[in-house]
Every structure is written in C-alpha cells, then in structure tokens.
Amino acid sequence: MNKTLSFFLALLIFASMPMSFAQKKSSKSKASPTYDITFKIKGAQDTIVYMTVNFDGKYLLRDSARASAPGVYHFKGTNKIEKGFYTLIAQKRIPYCNFVIGDNPFFTMNLDTTGRADAMSVKNNPDNEIVVAFQQRTAIAQEDVNRYVEAKKHFETAGQPDSASYYQQKLEDLNTEMLAFIDNLIKDNPNLLFAKMQKAYQAIDVPEFKDAEGSIDNDARATYYFTHYWDNIDLGDGSMVYTPILKGKFQEYFEKILVYQEIDTINKYVDFTLGKCTDSLTYQYAISYLSRYYETAKNIGFDGVFIHIVKNNQLKNKCFWMDEDLIAKYNKRVERLEPLLIGQHAPELMIPDTNDEWRYSFRQRDNNPNETWRYAFRKDHDYIILWFFDPDCQECRRETKKLRAVYDSLETAGTRNFDVFAIANDCTPERWKRYVKEEGHPWLVVGGNKGNIDYLEAYNTYETGNPTMFILNKNHDIILNKRIPINMIPSFLSQYEKIEQNKLKRQGKLQ
C-alpha cells in the first residue's frame, strides 16, 4: 500500500459512463446570474452543446446552449448551480472537455474539437487554470512515455540491454517527476476541487507494523488502512459529491475492503465514515449509498448493517431530506427485519398436524384431541433448518430435492448435525399431505394456515417468497436468515463452528 501512484493513471477521466439527462433549465428572470460561462471551440459545428455534472457514475444535465456564433456557446443562468466537476458534451453525445465550477463560475474557456490540451486555455479562473495546466503537463508526459516505451522495446529486441535500461530509467524518472508535479499541485491549491480530486486518487501509505516476534503484523496494518482510508478524501466538501471520485471510493471501501469483516466491525466503520461526512451533501450521498447497498446485498448478515444504519440515522431525524412517509417505511422495515437478524432468538413456532401418523409429536393441545401440534424447536441435533416452501412451487421442489440429497449423504456418513422442520406455508392440509406422501421425506413436514403465531409474518416469508430457509443453533438463535446454495450448508455450519470457537478463545473460555 505504498505510494505508487503512476501519473498516467491520474489522467483526466473522459468516462464512457451512461448518460442520464435530467434537464434543469433556468427560467427567465431579471435576477443576477449565478453562472456565466462561455466556451469557444475552434472548428465546432454543433448547433447545441450540453453542460453536465458528474454524479454517481453518470452525467447529469445542468444546462444546454445553442451556438451564438460559429463555435461559441454561452451558458448563463440564475438557478443554483452545484460546485463540482463538469463535462461539456457535444451534440453527438461525446465529451469535449472537463472543467470545474467552483467559487467563481464566470469564465471563458478556449479549446478545439480535437481535445488536445495545448489548444486549451482559460484566464482568471484558478479552478480551471490548474485543470488546464494538469492536462497540458500530462499530455506532454504521455508523449514522452510513448517514446520511451517504444525505444525500450526496440533495444530489447535488438539485444542491447544497456540502452533498454537507459529508457527504463527515463520512464522511472518521468514518473517521479510527475508525482512531484501532482504533489505540488495539491500543496499549492489545497482548497481547489481539482487538487482535492488528485489527492483523492493517491494511495494511503501504511506503516510496516511488526508484532512482538518481529514479523509483519497484518492485523495492525489492516486496522490502520481501515481507519486512514479517507485521509486523502475531503468528505467535508459537498462538491466532492459531484465528481467521479465518491462512487468508486465507496465501492472499494465497503464492497471490497470491508466485505469480509464481521458485522460489528462493518458497523463501526460505517459510523466512522458517516462521522467524516460533515457536509450535508456528502452525508446525504453516504446515507443513500450505504442504505441501498446493505439492504440489497446478498451477503450474509448485511441486513444487520442496514438496520444499524437506519436506527442510527433515518430514525433519529438526521435525514432532513426525507419526508414522514419515507421515515415511516424505514421504521416498518426495521420492525419487520430486526427480529430475524443473525444472533436474534428465533420466534417460537408450533403448527398443527391433523394426520397423527407422522412420527414426531412434541406438544399436544387438549382443546382438539384430533390435532397434534408440531414444535419446531427440537433438541435432537445441534442445528435446525426451518424450510418454508410451497408444494406447487417448482423451484421449491428442485431445492428440496437438493436438501434431501445433502441430508441423506450426511446421514449415510453419520455426520448429519441438523434436522429439518419443513413448513408448507399458506397451504391447505390436503395439498401438503399429498405432497408429503408423494415425496416421502425423512423429516417432519407441517402445513396449513394455523399456528401459535402468524409465521408468514413472523418469518417475513411474505417478502422473501418460497423457498425460504433459516438455520438455528441449539439455543434456537438465528445463525442464517437467508437461503444459500444447499450444497454449502455443511461448509457453512463448519465455518460457523470455527468462528464460535475463535470467539471463545478470544474471551478466554476455550483453551
């Protein structure tokens, strides 16, 4: 994780991102303009061009301008204009140039249709002067890179290693020179958005932590990286929202770096990140991204992160942009999901069976001598799989056959450590009894609409659909609250036991 930024990776991004136009034209008014920007594009034939701002991997339309003279396009408006990193889009939907709207959105930029940096110029606008300077310097450097690489290849092919090494050194010297150029740009312009963007592209230097034996302490290095990841990114500047930076940084941090951490650790760094979002725009962006990602991700336990976010933000009136109806929906979501999070004690489940031939009888209800109630929380194995299904659902039948195959193979090997409690949910007794007779499963199958609780509501099967799976441990705590590939059940249980053993070791309860 050393500082290895290569200058050609920091070139201005003319991204091929999908264009999302949400036009926002200013109304005619006598109010003073909030922005007044002219582009003079030598050789341009466009009738109209578009001013777009970068947001969340898209170009959002902010204004359009028709040619006032050949190649001259004048943008002027009285509506609020976001500070951010913008792209001028040609009539054919290709980018002409990137520019910044900062504290002084009143300037003229000169360029041509080739996109060459040496044709670009701007005066009396520091935000864009450093953009142009950066492009011009990197364009020259890229030409040098191309020459040095070709020369190096030529001498390698010719069997002249000394000459090839010379050009390799030229490449390394140029990289060092460009790194220094970027460092100076950042140092000299700490408050300008483009300099902040360049700083955000730089990697974090991680110290070589050592443990007591003198070996590399990877845990300490990881913790340092987690806690210093945002050092080069100004989350207190709302204009960072309107750049190509934030989406990639959030995806890297939460979807790659933290993805395999324990849920408590993820929650810790979610709060850590939100605490750095001191600007309302970056906070709003972070809440939107994090809520969406952790609510929809398939990873086990991520629903717990979603609940943590909502309870500590949306439901604490921190999200000023949300109306009461939306907050109420979040509250309802928490009420539905929180009882089923991993680690929660599962809702007790008893369902009547009107056919007394089935081999398990765990509780008898005296009010109906013809009705035996089957109790899900049995004690004969370490784990219980609650399997909600519909007998007429083809996917349920396919997945149940897979579950039977795993069950039988472990039974034959003498290693089956779970039992199955299958619920033919929202189903008439005739349908599920017919299904059981056809399939002849070795585990208990119950069904119907009766139970000690509304189990469809309690286990949220209205939302998850069929089939739905929960795995409970011997204490009847939920250790899995979503369906995984059936053949992964044994490895999941094995991994769960290893994790639990490691927890006990850390707590000093297991030698």
Side-chain angles (χ1 to χ4, degrees):
M1 301 178 186
N2 293 326
K3 184 176 178 182
T4 57
L5 174 69
S6 184
F7 70 89
F8 44 82
L9 294 180
L11 294 173
L12 285 173
I13 299 173
F14 286 96
S16 57
M17 298 178 287
M19 203 172 295
S20 175
F21 287 125
Q23 191 160 352
K24 186 178 177 182
K25 295 291 290 182
S26 58
S27 59
K28 293 182 178 180
S29 170
K30 294 182 180 180
S32 299
T34 53
Y35 63 94
D36 192 334
I37 305 169
T38 299
F39 293 93
K40 296 181 178 179
I41 310 173
K42 184 177 180 181
Q45 301 296 318
D46 306 70
T47 303
I48 189 172
V49 294
Y50 306 96
M51 183 171 73
T52 66
V53 68
N54 288 260
F55 175 77
D56 202 38
K58 303 178 182 68
Y59 293 137
L60 300 182
L61 182 66
R62 284 299 174 257
D63 203 351
S64 61
R66 294 187 174 275
S68 57
V72 178
Y73 307 92
H74 187 200
F75 294 90
K76 185 177 182 179
T78 57
N79 55 294
K80 182 180 179 181
I81 191 77
E82 299 92 347
K83 295 179 181 179
F85 193 66
Y86 284 70
T87 302
L88 182 68
I89 303 291
Q91 192 168 353
K92 293 183 178 180
R93 303 297 197 269
I94 59 174
Y96 266 136
C97 69
N98 293 320
F99 61 99
V100 170
I101 289 184
D103 291 331
N104 180 24
F106 301 90
F107 58 89
T108 297
M109 182 171 281
N110 300 288
L111 61 151
D112 64 17
T113 58
T114 68
R116 287 183 57 86
D118 58 8
M120 296 182 65
S121 66
V122 62
K123 292 183 178 181
N124 300 321
N125 190 267
D127 288 290
N128 288 295
E129 286 172 9
I130 65 169
V131 174
V132 172
F134 178 86
Q135 287 192 282
Q136 291 175 343
R137 184 66 187 89
T138 52
I140 294 170
Q142 189 63 62
E143 291 177 358
D144 290 340
V145 166
N146 294 338
R147 287 191 297 106
Y148 297 158
V149 168
E150 287 300 317
K152 181 172 178 282
K153 288 181 180 179
H154 169 76
F155 287 114
E156 286 174 340
T157 303
Q160 300 181 41
D162 290 344
S163 296
S165 296
Y166 170 79
Y167 283 102
Q168 175 60 36
Q169 187 61 50
K170 295 284 282 185
L171 285 167
E172 293 174 8
D173 291 343
L174 181 56
N175 192 66
T176 300
E177 180 184 336
M178 288 306 301
L179 287 172
F181 170 78
I182 295 171
D183 283 344
N184 287 331
L185 183 147
I186 295 168
K187 181 180 178 181
D188 295 340
N189 305 279
N191 297 319
L192 296 187
L193 177 61
F194 188 73
K196 291 182 179 182
M197 290 173 60
Q198 293 307 310
K199 184 176 182 179
Y201 285 124
Q202 296 186 324
I204 298 298
D205 289 323
V206 179
E208 294 290 334
F209 290 101
K210 300 291 182 66
D211 59 21
E213 286 75 34
S215 301
I216 297 295
D217 189 338
N218 289 320
D219 288 340
R221 285 173 58 81
T223 299
Y224 183 93
Y225 190 55
F226 296 162
T227 55
H228 289 270
Y229 178 85
W230 300 108
D231 283 3
N232 289 338
I233 306 166
D234 187 358
L235 294 178
D237 183 351
S239 59
M240 291 296 292
V241 170
Y242 295 102
T243 72
I245 302 291
L246 281 195
K247 182 178 183 179
K249 290 296 182 181
F250 271 77
Q251 286 177 328
E252 179 183 54
Y253 192 58
F254 292 103
E255 299 180 32
K256 296 180 181 179
I257 296 172
L258 293 176
V259 71
Y260 296 117
Q261 300 300 309
E262 293 182 355
I263 300 307
D264 287 346
T265 300
I266 296 175
N267 286 339
K268 171 185 173 181
Y269 288 109
V270 163
D271 294 342
F272 170 73
T273 301
L274 290 173
K276 288 186 171 295
C277 296
T278 55
D279 181 270
S280 60
L281 283 176
T282 54
Y283 175 73
Q284 184 173 348
Y285 179 88
I287 286 293
S288 175
Y289 166 84
L290 292 168
S291 300
R292 181 176 64 250
Y293 173 61
Y294 284 109
E295 182 179 19
T296 60
K298 303 300 182 183
N299 307 59
I300 295 170
F302 275 17
D303 49 355
V305 182
F306 169 71
I307 295 300
H308 175 84
I309 292 167
V310 172
K311 290 181 69 175
N312 288 282
N313 293 276
Q314 286 93 329
L315 300 188
K316 287 195 173 179
N317 298 318
K318 295 181 180 180
C319 303
F320 61 89
W321 61 93
M322 295 183 182
D323 60 26
E324 292 182 0
D325 289 342
L326 184 54
I327 296 298
K329 289 179 181 178
Y330 273 113
N331 189 56
K332 182 66 176 177
R333 194 93 174 104
V334 169
E335 291 176 350
R336 177 169 290 181
L337 294 181
E338 190 169 24
L340 299 174
L341 294 180
I342 291 174
Q344 297 278 43
H345 194 71
E348 189 177 56
L349 184 59
M350 290 180 286
I351 299 176
D353 175 5
T354 57
N355 187 339
D356 289 333
E357 294 178 3
W358 302 112
R359 57 192 182 89
Y360 292 109
S361 179
F362 296 95
R363 288 194 177 183
Q364 190 83 20
R365 288 295 177 95
D366 296 331
N367 61 332
N368 187 346
N370 297 316
E371 195 172 74
T372 301
W373 285 64
R374 310 300 186 180
Y375 187 46
F377 288 2
R378 305 198 297 281
K379 298 285 188 180
D380 22 358
H381 288 84
D382 290 337
Y383 304 99
I384 302 167
I385 296 178
L386 300 182
W387 183 252
F388 296 86
F389 73 102
D390 184 331
D392 296 328
C393 160
Q394 291 305 309
E395 183 180 4
C396 296
R397 286 179 173 265
R398 287 192 296 270
E399 291 299 295
T400 303
K401 288 182 184 297
K402 294 177 184 178
L403 182 58
R404 174 68 183 271
V406 171
Y407 184 102
D408 287 347
S409 66
L410 295 176
E411 180 71 14
T412 300
T415 58
R416 179 171 64 85
N417 57 353
F418 64 83
D419 209 344
V420 177
F421 189 85
I423 305 101
N425 64 55
D426 198 23
C427 177
T428 63
E430 291 74 18
R431 282 174 59 203
W432 68 261
K433 286 194 290 185
R434 183 174 65 248
Y435 169 81
V436 171
K437 289 179 180 179
E438 291 173 355
E439 299 296 331
H441 293 306
W443 53 70
L444 181 64
V445 183
V446 297
N449 294 315
K450 292 179 66 176
N452 64 313
I453 57 173
D454 181 350
Y455 61 83
L456 296 178
E457 177 72 25
Y459 282 91
N460 199 32
T461 60
Y462 288 120
E463 181 178 334
T464 56
N466 293 308
T468 291
M469 177 171 68
F470 290 83
I471 300 182
L472 317 182
N473 64 15
K474 206 155 193 171
N475 297 322
H476 308 137
D477 298 326
I478 298 170
I479 65 172
L480 182 71
N481 59 3
K482 62 178 60 182
R483 180 157 55 99
I484 59 174
I486 300 299
N487 62 354
M488 291 180 60
I489 290 175
S491 60
F492 169 80
L493 293 177
S494 176
Q495 184 64 25
Y496 168 77
E497 290 177 351
K498 289 179 182 178
I499 292 172
E500 289 303 297
Q501 288 176 352
N502 289 335
K503 286 181 180 178
L504 291 175
K505 286 180 181 179
R506 289 198 298 268
Q507 296 168 2
K509 297 179 181 179
L510 185 68
Q511 300 301 320

